[in-house]
Amino acid sequence: MAISKKPKKHNPQALIVENEKGKSEHRRLAEIKLSSSVLNTLTTEAFTKSLLGEIDFTEAVVVMKEKTEKIIAGDLSELESTLAAQVVSLNAIFTSLARRSMNCEYLNQVEANLRLALKAQAQCARSIEVLAALKNPPIVFAKQANIANGHQQINNNQSPTHAEKTIKSSNELLSEADNAPLDTRGTPETIKINQELAAVETVDGGEDT
């Protein structure tokens, strides 16, 4: 790729660079060489040159930039078109490899072609999933939290709290309505009893262990 500011003769492989105020020539050339549009145009041209021939590189960079800016702006029609076309291509690859496996003589050749065919089929299914997600984005449901001033927080969609108490707290005071009246009389006096015990009569066989 040759870079020229003002080419004397049109060269399809030359990239025409326009100067910008406030930027030096070296700065401008560095931005162009590291631009994603330029680098990806080089990659695309390398893979399509044998099939489509040479194209005007400057115009190709302009087209690449227009496509990326269109997607960045939110227009995904280009991506949808690409995925739809790739679904058709991957399906054709699957069909071709599956048919080729039928004409193989050896089992390892049959297995190799079928493995590649199933990989193409998996990629085709994946492209369909991505395309469907672009056309119908999934809806995400999130609970809303209302934050008031201070330390108060109110969460929506919460189950209603029960107003009635079902379990009594262990530290609640006893009441006369729920419990028997307490004995408020004084401490009873100690009663003396006979501390002398009668001897126990020996029973026959009491010495046996």
Side-chain angles (χ1 to χ4, degrees):
M1 179 190 67
I3 299 178
S4 175
K5 292 185 292 182
K6 294 181 180 180
K8 296 180 180 180
K9 186 178 179 180
H10 180 69
N11 181 7
Q13 293 302 309
L15 178 61
I16 301 175
V17 180
E18 296 180 356
N19 293 328
E20 291 185 7
K21 293 182 180 181
K23 292 183 180 180
S24 63
E25 181 179 355
H26 296 289
R27 170 74 181 191
R28 183 59 178 157
L29 291 177
E31 290 178 351
I32 291 298
K33 291 181 179 180
L34 297 179
S35 172
S36 58
S37 299
V38 173
L39 294 177
N40 284 278
T41 302
L42 284 171
T43 305
T44 304
E45 185 187 29
F47 280 93
T48 60
K49 186 175 181 180
S50 60
L51 298 175
L52 305 176
E54 293 185 354
I55 57 177
D56 190 283
F57 191 76
T58 301
E59 293 297 329
V61 172
V62 174
V63 173
M64 179 70 73
K65 189 175 180 180
E66 290 177 353
K67 289 179 177 293
T68 56
E69 290 178 349
K70 187 178 179 180
I71 295 173
I72 293 173
D75 188 353
L76 303 181
S77 59
E78 186 78 18
L79 294 181
E80 294 175 359
S81 177
T82 300
L83 286 172
Q86 288 180 354
V87 167
V88 178
S89 299
L90 289 168
N91 187 45
I93 294 173
F94 163 76
T95 304
S96 177
L97 291 171
R99 288 174 58 86
R100 184 182 300 178
S101 64
M102 297 175 59
N103 299 325
C104 294
E105 181 179 357
Y106 300 101
L107 181 60
N108 58 346
Q109 296 177 347
V110 175
E111 183 181 1
N113 283 280
L114 284 179
R115 187 183 302 112
L116 293 175
L118 293 177
K119 285 185 178 180
Q121 189 270 343
Q123 287 298 117
C124 180
R126 177 57 181 163
S127 299
I128 294 174
E129 291 178 357
V130 175
L131 181 60
L134 286 177
K135 298 293 291 184
N136 300 299
I139 301 176
V140 179
F141 294 94
K143 291 184 178 180
Q144 181 182 0
N146 298 326
I147 309 297
N149 294 330
H151 301 285
Q152 182 181 5
Q153 178 175 348
I154 303 174
N155 294 327
N156 295 334
N157 298 329
Q158 298 292 331
S159 58
T161 57
H162 296 284
E164 299 179 357
K165 290 194 303 180
T166 56
I167 301 177
K168 293 184 178 180
S169 176
S170 59
N171 59 357
E172 290 183 355
L173 297 177
L174 297 177
S175 62
E176 294 183 359
D178 298 333
N179 301 276
L182 299 178
D183 189 358
T184 57
R185 294 175 297 175
T187 304
E189 297 180 357
T190 304
I191 302 175
K192 295 183 179 180
I193 60 175
N194 188 6
Q195 301 293 331
E196 296 182 0
L197 299 178
V200 179
E201 184 180 358
T202 303
V203 182
D204 293 341
E207 296 180 356
D208 295 339
T209 58

